[in-house]
Every structure is written in C-alpha cells, then in structure tokens.
C-alpha cells in the first residue's frame, strides 16, 4: 500500500517562520557577507575613502520576510553611499559585481 501525505498549510507556514529556518538564513547571509568582504575593492593610496566600502557590509534577518511576510529571510547589504556604483559600475568605472559574485557562492 502506498503512503499518503496531506500537507498542512499552517504547518508549512510554521516551518518557514521557525527559529531553525531563520538561523539557517542568517548563517547563509553571514557566509555571503564574508565572501563579499573578501571580494570588496579597497581603493588605492590616494583614495580618500579607502576601505569604507569593505567595512560597510551588514546582515539582518527576520521571521516575517518575503513578499507576503510569511517566511524567515536574511538580507545582506552594503550601506556605503556609493555601493550601487561599485556593484553596477558607471560610464567611467567598470562594474565589480561584488554582491552578485558573493551570492552566487551560495552561502554554502
């Protein structure tokens, strides 16, 4: 006889918001952040902001994230005012794609 399974939406919701899942999301975010810090450009000796971008990485997590606020999530961000231009580049400076490359590492 085949086994039967009935999914409980409430149970899945509890699992997605559980401390266990939130801790795993935070662990992965920390791993992605560590990779991003390692990949971050620092700037040359004449750079007035040398190391500022590298020092501006942070993470946070919540049990009520996602589009519908129904699951645990973790976020990696860089708060340097020019982080967008380091990531995507400008017409004068090439894109470094630091967060993209760090996220591709998967936070394994």
């Amino acid at each position: 006889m085949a086994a039967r399974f009935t999914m409980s939406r409430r149970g899945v919701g509890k699992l997605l918001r559980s401390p266990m899942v939130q801790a795993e999301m935070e662990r992965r975010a920390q791993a992605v952040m560590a990779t991003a810090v390692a990949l971050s450009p620092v700037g040359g000796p004449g750079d007035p902001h040398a190391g500022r971008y590298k020092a501006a990485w942070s993470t946070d997590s919540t049990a009520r994230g996602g589009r519908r606020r129904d699951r645990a999530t973790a976020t990696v961000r860089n708060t340097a005012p020019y982080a967008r231009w380091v990531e995507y580049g400008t017409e004068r400076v090439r894109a470094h794609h630091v967060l993209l490359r760090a996220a591709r590492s998967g936070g394994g």
Side-chain angles (χ1 to χ4, degrees):
M1 183 185 329
R4 297 192 70 173
F5 171 76
T6 304
M7 184 183 81
S8 164
R9 289 185 182 266
R10 180 178 285 167
V12 171
K14 283 183 179 180
L15 174 66
L16 290 175
R17 290 184 302 276
S18 70
M20 173 184 67
V21 172
Q22 186 174 356
E24 178 61 15
M25 294 292 105
E26 181 64 29
R27 185 192 69 76
R28 287 178 182 261
Q30 290 291 333
V32 168
M33 185 180 80
T35 302
V37 168
L39 294 172
S40 294
V42 179
D47 187 353
H49 306 292
R52 183 177 180 187
Y53 177 78
K54 188 172 189 163
W57 289 102
S58 65
T59 66
D60 65 345
S61 66
T62 181
R64 292 287 185 170
R67 185 173 51 104
R68 293 172 35 195
R69 305 282 184 231
D70 62 347
R71 63 197 61 216
T73 62
T75 306
V76 179
R77 67 175 46 95
N78 190 300
T79 57
Y82 49 85
R84 166 198 238 163
W85 295 293
V86 174
E87 184 71 19
Y88 300 112
T90 66
E91 61 276 355
R92 295 182 185 162
V93 180
R94 71 175 180 83
H96 289 278
H97 299 298
V98 176
L99 187 56
L100 174 67
R101 293 185 294 154
R104 282 186 178 161
S105 74

